[in-house]
Amino acid sequence: MSRNLELFERGKQVIPGGVNSPVRAFGQVGGTPRFVARAEGAYFWDADGKQYLDYVGSWGPAIVGHAHPEVVKAVQDAAVGGLSFGAPTEGEVVIAEEICKLLPSVEQVRLVSSGTEATMTAIRLARGFTGRDLIVKFEGCYHGHSDSLLVKAGSGLLTFGNPSSGGVPADFTKHTLVLQYNDAEQLARTFAEIGDQIACVILEPIAGNMNLIQPSREFVQALRSLTEKHGAVLIYDEVMTGFRVAKGCAQGLHGITPDLTTLGKVVGGGMPLAAFGGRADIMGKIAPLGTVYQAGTLSGNPLSVAAGLATLKLIQQPGFYETLGGRTARLAQGLADEAKKAGVTLSTDSVGGMFGFYFSDRAPKSYAEATGCDIERFKRFFHAMLDEGIYFAPSAYEAGFVSIAHSDDMIEQTVAAAGRAFARVAG
Ligand code: PLP
């Protein structure tokens, strides 16, 4: 028996589903999850000693590659000085200054330990600031697993969301309104009707949890102008896109100044660190200054801050995003070319170090279009690539991630492997 399978079987005895986060279980694609023994640069090695070129990168954080020596050294040095204090440290001030410098929309920032905490608190803060209850999210956008954000997709205009998870009372989601991504008209109609009740609109400014979906210019401009006009807080959830799509994040690419921003993944360099921040008048409502409560025993953990600071330094090296974006775009184009050669219907897209490929004739613009892609063919392609030693996300609904450690040669190897894999899944 393979060691991966043995660990999976043992894990299932003592961990629900054998994993500590559901998508790791390979539920959509089937087969045995790869248990990671170690990782370095663009590669990881599984429990059977097989090497994989990794396009998941811990679901986004590993933008400088795994175990980057400068990040590891920063964490080692921090660890020697103590693991957690529950009292402020200089590093927290430095990383907050750094985030405020990189994101002009962020005047003040608070550190937390996960993206879920960041979005959950940003929403509480928006409600506390506006004195309103209603929140707007978009179908297919994932913002972590807090109760009010786990709302079933698929509702039309003014249909209030049902919980999409067991254990969430309908009462908890009755203030969550689910609209369609990229539908500026629906958004305008909603604001015209009930804009004065809306505390905030939260979105993935480039969606990465329904595969990669980019918003139209019209949509992001409508979001900014309508929220501003009606006194609602615009929350850019940049947990995934933050320092992933550009140094100035998605908001920089869009030329939009949100009221609040949430960050995670890259900002913690692979350690548990996330953040929410934005306008000083809104942030002033958070405890201890204001009445909106938020706290965390491990918030601003010194090891996480050290990893985050080392990573933020590396991404600011000249040419970082040009190189990363160029390689990612080449991968996306290469996949499209190889699919065409094999007679497989595929479209692709990329932005910065994030990419999507869709078994459909054009890149989706909404959740409905994303779920309309050929999932069966995706599964076969996923396994064919796994056989080639290429690790893509084990779900058709996740974006892919390239790191700066993925060299031009590695990208070309991936494209060549994809050519063989498409030939296998054609027909
Ligand atoms: N927001 C977005 C856009 C995400 O992609 C995620 C996680 O993938 C989260 C929030 C939740 O972050 P975490 O998994 O760190 O709780």
Side-chain angles (χ1 to χ4, degrees), residues 114-117 119 142-145 204 209 237 239-240 265:
S114 71
T116 294
E117 270 183 90
T119 55
Y142 177 67
H143 303 290
H145 60 92
E204 286 185 65
N209 286 289
D237 178 2
V239 167
M240 186 183 284
K265 299 186 189 273

Side-chain angles (χ1 to χ4, degrees), residues 21 58-59 113-119 141-145 149 202-209 237-241 262-265 272-274 398 401:
S21 197
S58 183
W59 300 100
S113 300
S114 71
T116 294
E117 270 183 90
T119 55
C141 285
Y142 177 67
H143 303 290
H145 60 92
L149 289 167
I202 185 167
L203 82 154
E204 286 185 65
I206 294 167
N209 286 289
D237 178 2
E238 301 234 36
V239 167
M240 186 183 284
T241 53
T262 52
L263 296 167
K265 299 186 189 273
L273 185 89
E398 307 283 353
F401 302 104

Side-chain angles (χ1 to χ4, degrees), residues 1-12 15-37 44-50 52 56 59 382-383 386 391-395:
M1 192 197 287
S2 90
R3 182 120 176 88
N4 290 312
L5 185 57
E6 184 197 326
L7 287 171
F8 193 37
E9 293 304 326
R10 259 175 61 198
K12 283 194 274 190
I15 304 171
V19 293
N20 283 310
S21 197
V23 80
R24 296 179 196 173
F26 273 32
Q28 190 186 77
V29 292
T32 307
R34 301 311 191 251
F35 281 66
V36 178
F44 76 79
W45 288 263
D46 74 4
D48 288 317
K50 181 169 172 175
Y52 294 88
V56 176
W59 300 100
F382 169 82
H383 280 291
L386 211 52
Y391 189 80
F392 281 142
S395 161

